Amino acid sequence: FQLSWPCNYNAAGKVLGLDLLNNPDIVSQQSDIAVKTAVWFFQANRMDEPAQRGDFAATTRIINGARECNGGPGASSQQTRVQTYKRVRQCFGLGEPTINPTC
């Protein structure tokens, strides 16, 4: 897991009691810190609500917003992730998403 933008490193660091703003590499170097920042991001951005609804597009908007949604410069990355999401759903016998997974 990685965070984007200095404000996220700063906010996560304050909650975790770490100076992630001045030492962001620790997130990629220590798996326990990576997990803690992932949980922080999930909670801080209320990702539980769209995730519980199965709204994959809403979670993408929270994570990458305009970068991937509405034809943004990372739209192809979103398409790859959506295809992976659909394959994982099939592996668990969940069928096709009931909500459009593309934002």
Side-chain angles (χ1 to χ4, degrees), residues 1 3 8 11-12 15-16 34-52 59 62-63:
F1 183 80
L3 292 173
N8 283 327
V15 170
L16 300 176
V35 169
K36 289 175 183 178
T37 59
V39 170
W40 169 83
F41 188 89
F42 188 88
Q43 292 174 332
N45 290 281
R46 307 280 324 222
M47 292 187 71
D48 56 319
E49 293 171 4
Q52 288 173 2
T59 62
I62 291 168
I63 296 168

